[in-house]
Amino acid sequence: MDQLKLKLQEYYHRYQQLDPQVKPGKEEVGDMENDILSQFGLPASKRFVQILHDFVKNAQVTDHLLNYVSKKLRSAARTYLLAPVMSDIEVLNHARDQKRSPYDVLPELGYTVHEYAIFLVAELLYRRNMGPVDVLDELKKVQHFDSWNELLVLSKMPEYNTHEMYTKLKKQQLRFVDDFVQFSHRQTAPKAPAKRATPAEEGYLPNYRTISKMQVEDIVFDEQGNPRLFGKIRTGNRYNRISIGLEYSELNQVLMSSGEMGVEISRFIKKKLANNAAEQPTVIDIRTEFGKLLRLDACYLEVYKPQHREGHDWIEDKDNFYFVDKILTKKEFDKRAKELETKEKIQECLEIIGGSYVHYQRLRRLGVTDEEAKLRAGLQDELLFKLSTFLHKLKD
């Protein structure tokens, strides 16, 4: 029996001795899995480890089974090693597009499957649309400083930002430590529905933008049932990825404005969420479930990026994640646009009237009579003259 078969056989027996409550891939067999897969040039990612987990489910080890597993690993290695070479950035972009498990992506990039690494990929890259360059840069820094354990320990502390480890990690210029710890705390907190704090409550003034057209690819509900839209918007000649957080009532309002498809999706969501056995978070792939993307073009979303405090300043988050502030129908949006246009015209008129008073003063200084100066400046009407005077004083 060759060396590989002996290792597979030893792995099988070692695995069978594990405590039934221990999940596959723990320390007792993890090193062996890495060793076996590395012989084929495979990383210890979920999809390849699964081949070994399927192997140990068999009732007994036979030569036929060992040959079958060896053949399956060789086939997987051939496919993996002959695949087109991609840069790490391309791998992350592809992973986001294909919704690949971080447990596959991270080992194939050469990084530890660690809570912080999973947070960077699953939460920041996938859910918040953080740029892959930023995610990869953070992974490299954590790997370089080997800060994995310190990050994990810090995430368990209530007053984490007063600990010396926090200062050390900040000196390593890790950008997402606070986000990770706060995210970890939310995961362990009681799962009561959370009401989002408004910018006014938090103390900053957001920069609003209006989104009138969006192609929705996924609708995701987190563990607390808060929905997010994931998709693309067109900016010039290109499409940019975007994710939008909103309340359940706001989601329903958006769907109800989207015709029959929106109503159908709303019904589907209610059934999905009513199923207590549904996975958390709940991901609804729109194209898979309904055959095409959901196009939001019958309403206008007024959105803003959340901000975080750095010292005394509020800094807008870099990722393409927004919160909804208002949802307007086309009629409401057109009315608001007309109001803004009218206000701008009125402001222009007031500026002209206020400027006329400067012309009047200049004429008076040149010795022109009061009545003639008012006439030439267009302020012969007494009420108009008073208005011009007050507007000029406001400027001063």
Side-chain angles (χ1 to χ4, degrees):
M1 186 176 290
D2 63 29
Q3 193 70 21
L4 174 63
K5 288 184 179 179
L6 285 172
K7 285 187 176 181
L8 284 170
Q9 198 169 50
E10 183 184 353
Y11 169 74
Y12 178 92
H13 292 304
R14 186 78 62 83
Y15 192 98
Q16 300 302 324
Q17 294 169 7
L18 285 178
D19 187 321
Q21 300 301 317
V22 178
K23 291 182 179 179
K26 291 298 182 182
E27 292 180 5
E28 292 85 348
V29 294
D31 289 341
M32 294 191 70
E33 290 170 351
N34 289 333
D35 184 32
I36 292 169
L37 292 173
S38 66
Q39 289 196 31
F40 293 89
L42 292 171
S45 58
K46 183 180 178 182
R47 56 176 174 155
F48 301 131
V49 171
Q50 190 61 48
I51 296 173
L52 297 176
H53 291 171
D54 292 340
F55 159 60
V56 296
K57 289 177 183 176
N58 289 276
Q60 59 182 349
V61 182
T62 63
D63 277 344
H64 175 73
L65 179 60
L66 292 171
N67 288 330
Y68 171 77
V69 175
S70 299
K71 184 177 179 181
K72 196 167 185 179
L73 288 169
R74 287 192 183 92
S75 176
R78 190 179 301 112
T79 302
Y80 175 72
L81 296 172
L82 294 179
V85 177
M86 292 192 290
S87 68
D88 289 351
I89 298 295
E90 290 172 326
V91 169
L92 287 174
N93 272 320
H94 181 263
R96 180 169 58 188
D97 292 340
Q98 300 298 317
K99 304 180 184 67
R100 293 187 63 207
S101 168
Y103 291 88
D104 281 330
V105 178
L106 288 164
E108 290 172 21
L109 287 172
Y111 293 103
T112 307
V113 178
H114 178 275
E115 282 86 342
Y116 189 63
I118 293 170
F119 165 76
L120 292 174
V121 174
E123 179 66 18
L124 296 191
L125 181 69
Y126 292 0
R127 299 183 67 184
R128 301 190 196 175
N129 279 321
M130 177 69 70
V133 174
D134 297 308
V135 170
L136 189 61
D137 181 59
E138 190 81 350
L139 285 167
K140 286 178 180 177
K141 281 189 280 191
V142 182
Q143 190 90 311
H144 173 73
F145 292 108
D146 193 20
S147 304
W148 303 109
N149 288 337
E150 290 161 317
L151 283 160
L152 188 59
V153 171
L154 205 64
S155 71
K156 312 297 182 186
M157 296 180 181
E159 303 295 330
Y160 70 95
N161 53 4
T162 60
H163 197 277
E164 61 183 14
M165 275 194 295
Y166 177 77
T167 306
K168 178 183 176 182
L169 293 171
K170 281 295 186 178
K171 285 181 179 177
Q172 295 171 2
Q173 297 184 335
L174 298 182
R175 291 173 51 195
F176 308 112
V177 177
D178 294 279
D179 278 340
F180 170 63
V181 175
Q182 290 162 16
F183 175 82
S184 300
H185 289 177
R186 287 197 298 271
Q187 302 310 300
T188 56
K191 304 301 182 184
K195 183 70 176 177
R196 183 176 79 240
T198 65
E201 289 170 339
E202 294 193 345
Y204 67 89
L205 182 65
N207 300 310
Y208 293 104
R209 77 176 278 189
T210 301
I211 294 174
S212 59
K213 294 182 180 179
M214 178 179 177
Q215 296 182 13
V216 180
E217 299 173 337
D218 300 288
I219 301 176
V220 177
F221 293 84
D222 64 20
E223 291 80 357
Q224 295 180 338
N226 299 317
R228 290 190 185 186
L229 305 177
F230 289 81
K232 295 180 286 189
I233 58 172
R234 187 164 186 167
T235 307
N237 295 323
R238 55 183 294 184
Y239 282 93
N240 292 324
R241 291 194 169 278
I242 187 175
S243 58
I244 299 176
L246 64 175
E247 302 292 337
Y248 186 82
S249 59
E250 292 171 331
L251 172 63
N252 201 48
Q253 184 180 344
V254 168
L255 292 175
M256 290 301 101
S257 72
S258 303
E260 291 183 9
M261 184 175 180
V263 173
E264 191 178 345
I265 293 173
S266 180
R267 291 193 191 119
F268 180 85
I269 288 172
K270 287 174 183 175
K271 288 181 182 178
K272 189 92 171 174
L273 295 181
N275 178 12
N276 293 327
E279 292 183 4
Q280 295 294 333
T282 302
V283 180
I284 298 169
D285 187 321
I286 301 298
R287 191 190 293 277
T288 300
E289 299 293 345
F290 302 95
K292 60 181 180 180
L293 300 181
L294 173 65
R295 298 183 184 276
L296 299 184
D297 52 13
C299 63
Y300 293 79
L301 306 181
E302 191 172 87
V303 300
Y304 63 91
K305 282 189 177 185
Q307 297 182 19
H308 61 276
R309 188 184 285 279
E310 289 187 7
H312 297 293
D313 300 321
W314 284 97
I315 307 297
E316 191 172 77
D317 293 353
K318 289 185 177 180
D319 49 322
N320 253 1
F321 171 70
Y322 296 83
F323 280 126
V324 167
D325 183 69
K326 288 186 181 72
I327 302 172
L328 303 172
T329 64
K330 190 173 187 309
K331 184 177 179 180
E332 289 170 331
F333 179 81
D334 289 342
K335 182 182 178 183
R336 176 190 278 194
K338 285 180 182 178
E339 288 175 353
L340 288 174
E341 184 182 0
T342 302
K343 287 178 182 178
E344 287 174 3
K345 296 295 184 185
I346 291 172
Q347 185 61 36
E348 288 174 11
C349 292
L350 292 174
E351 287 176 4
I352 292 171
I353 294 170
S356 297
Y357 187 78
V358 177
H359 184 42
Y360 161 78
Q361 285 182 315
R362 190 180 298 116
L363 290 169
R364 290 290 288 144
R365 284 195 296 269
L366 292 172
V368 178
T369 64
D370 183 69
E371 188 176 344
E372 180 66 18
K374 287 179 180 178
L375 181 63
R376 290 191 191 181
L379 300 174
Q380 63 272 32
D381 183 88
E382 192 60 32
L383 182 59
L384 195 61
F385 179 74
K386 284 183 179 180
L387 177 60
S388 181
T389 304
F390 293 139
L391 289 170
H392 179 72
K393 285 181 179 178
L394 282 176
K395 279 191 174 181
D396 293 341

